[in-house]
C-alpha cells in the first residue's frame, strides 16, 4: 500500500485543484467542479481525530464551495481497503468511472516522434479545441488553470495541415512523468494516432529526464487500455470516488 500512496502523492502534483488544503494526511482539492481528481479529497495518511470527524470536515469544506463532498479512494488491484469499507458503511456512494493507474519504465529511451508532432509550452487554440472531458467540448474557463497546474507540463499534438488530429498533455513532477487529456479526432480513429501521441509523450518525457511514467484510464475503456498495454504500460493499482450522503454537514 505504501507504493500506492507514494504514486498517488506524486500524481497529485500533476493535476491539481485551483484551491487546496490539508487535513492531516488528507489533501483537499477544488477547481469549480472541473474533473474528479481536482475536486476530491485524497486520503494519503491519517487525518486528525476520528474518521467521522474527518468526514464531517471534508463535507463542510466542499459544501461551503458549492461542491459535492467526494473522496478519491485508491486500492490494490485485487483487494478492498478498510477505508473504502468504512465509507460504504457510512452511506458514501460510488461515483461512476472507476479507473486504473498504469505505469511504464522509460529507461532505455523511446523512438523519436514522427512527422507532424508538435510540443508546445502552452496549449494553443487548436490543442484546446481538440481536448474533451468525458466527451464534452464545452469546457469551463477554469480548465486553463488546471492544465498548467503541474510543476512542468507540455502540450503535445499531431497536426495535419495545421489541424490537431490528436492531442495529449505531458506533465512532470515528483519524479514521474504523466499523460493526461489524450484525445484523437473521431474522424481519425483506428489509424494509429492514439499510439503515436502516446509514443510522442514518452519520447518527450525521456528527453526531459523522466524515467517513469503513469497514466489513469477508466476501467470500462477497453480500447484505451489495450492501446496502453501495447505501449508498455502495466497496471499498478485502481481507484474510485465515494460521494457523501445527501444532507448538511454534521456538526
Amino acid at each position: 500500500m505504501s507504493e500506492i500512496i507514494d504514486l498517488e502523492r506524486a500524481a497529485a502534483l500533476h493535476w491539481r485543484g485551483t484551491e487546496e488544503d490539508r487535513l492531516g494526511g488528507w489533501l483537499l482539492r477544488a477547481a469549480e467542479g472541473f474533473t474528479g481528481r481536482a475536486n476530491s479529497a485524497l486520503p494519503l495518511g491519517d487525518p486528525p481525530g476520528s474518521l467521522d470527524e474527518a468526514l464531517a470536515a471534508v463535507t463542510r469544506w466542499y459544501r461551503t464551495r458549492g461542491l459535492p463532498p467526494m473522496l478519491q479512494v485508491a486500492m490494490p488491484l485485487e483487494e478492498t481497503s478498510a477505508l473504502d469499507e468504512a465509507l460504504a458503511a457510512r452511506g458514501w456512494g460510488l461515483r461512476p468511472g472507476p479507473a486504473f493507474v498504469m505505469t511504464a519504465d522509460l529507461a532505455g529511451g523511446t523512438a523519436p516522434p514522427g512527422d507532424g508532432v508538435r510540443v508546445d509550452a502552452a496549449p494553443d487554440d487548436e490543442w484546446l479545441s481538440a481536448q474533451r472531458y468525458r466527451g464534452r467540448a464545452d469546457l469551463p474557463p477554469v480548465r486553463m488553470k488546471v492544465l498548467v497546474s503541474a510543476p512542468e507540463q507540455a502540450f503535445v499534438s499531431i497536426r495535419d495541415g495545421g489541424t490537431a488530429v490528436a492531442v495529449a498533455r505531458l506533465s512532470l513532477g515528483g519524479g514521474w512523468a504523466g499523460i493526461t487529456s489524450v484525445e484523437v479526432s473521431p474522424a481519425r480513429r483506428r489509424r494509429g494516432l492514439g499510439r503515436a501521441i502516446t509514443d510522442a509523450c514518452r519520447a518527450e518525457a525521456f528527453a526531459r529526464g523522466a524515467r517513469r511514467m503513469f497514466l489513469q484510464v477508466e476501467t470500462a475503456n477497453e480500447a484505451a487500455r489495450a492501446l496502453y498495454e501495447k505501449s508498455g504500460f502495466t497496471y499498478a493499482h485502481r481507484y474510485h470516488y465515494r460521494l457523501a450522503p445527501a444532507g448538511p454537514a454534521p456538526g
Side-chain angles (χ1 to χ4, degrees):
M1 193 69 181
S2 61
E3 293 180 355
I4 295 175
I5 292 174
D6 289 343
L7 179 50
E8 285 293 334
R9 183 174 287 116
L13 297 172
H14 289 243
W15 190 270
R16 300 181 60 183
T18 55
E19 184 179 1
E20 295 183 345
D21 205 348
R22 293 279 179 180
L23 183 66
W26 292 16
L27 174 64
L28 311 185
R29 306 167 291 187
E32 300 176 26
F34 177 62
T35 79
R37 278 167 289 166
N39 292 274
S40 57
L42 183 62
L44 298 176
D46 294 327
S50 67
L51 175 60
D52 287 325
E53 290 170 335
L55 295 178
V58 167
T59 300
R60 285 192 296 270
W61 196 86
Y62 282 97
R63 288 192 173 145
T64 296
R65 289 157 179 81
L67 298 170
M70 184 164 64
L71 264 70
Q72 179 184 339
V73 185
M75 296 184 292
L77 292 173
E78 303 296 336
E79 302 174 28
T80 59
S81 74
L83 174 60
D84 192 58
E85 292 175 349
L87 292 172
R90 288 164 171 78
W92 285 62
L94 287 172
R95 174 184 183 264
F100 288 119
V101 177
M102 304 181 72
T103 62
D105 186 356
L106 302 183
T110 57
D115 294 338
V117 174
R118 280 183 47 167
V119 180
D120 297 302
D124 65 1
D125 289 342
E126 269 298 315
W127 194 100
L128 292 170
S129 68
Q131 187 201 14
R132 299 290 185 272
Y133 174 65
R134 295 184 177 272
R136 290 175 49 201
D138 56 331
L139 302 182
V142 72
R143 72 163 163 162
M144 291 297 298
K145 294 181 180 179
V146 177
L147 286 171
V148 297
S149 62
E152 181 182 354
Q153 52 266 308
F155 297 87
V156 184
S157 61
I158 298 175
R159 308 283 173 120
D160 183 2
T163 300
V165 295
V167 298
R169 172 183 176 268
L170 170 68
S171 53
L172 298 104
W176 287 85
I179 303 178
T180 51
S181 298
V182 177
E183 189 70 34
V184 175
S185 171
R188 303 293 292 270
R189 290 175 183 169
R190 301 185 183 278
R191 301 185 189 182
L193 288 175
R195 177 67 179 269
I197 196 74
T198 301
D199 288 348
C201 288
R202 288 173 61 108
E204 182 67 19
F206 188 83
R208 295 184 182 218
R211 297 298 179 264
R212 300 181 296 174
M213 177 171 274
F214 76 92
L215 57 84
Q216 296 113 330
V217 57
E218 290 195 0
T219 59
N221 193 341
E222 295 182 1
R225 288 170 52 189
L227 183 156
Y228 297 136
E229 289 169 6
K230 291 177 182 177
S231 297
F233 286 85
T234 59
Y235 296 95
H237 62 275
R238 60 192 172 96
Y239 68 85
H240 57 234
Y241 297 99
R242 290 275 182 186
L243 288 162

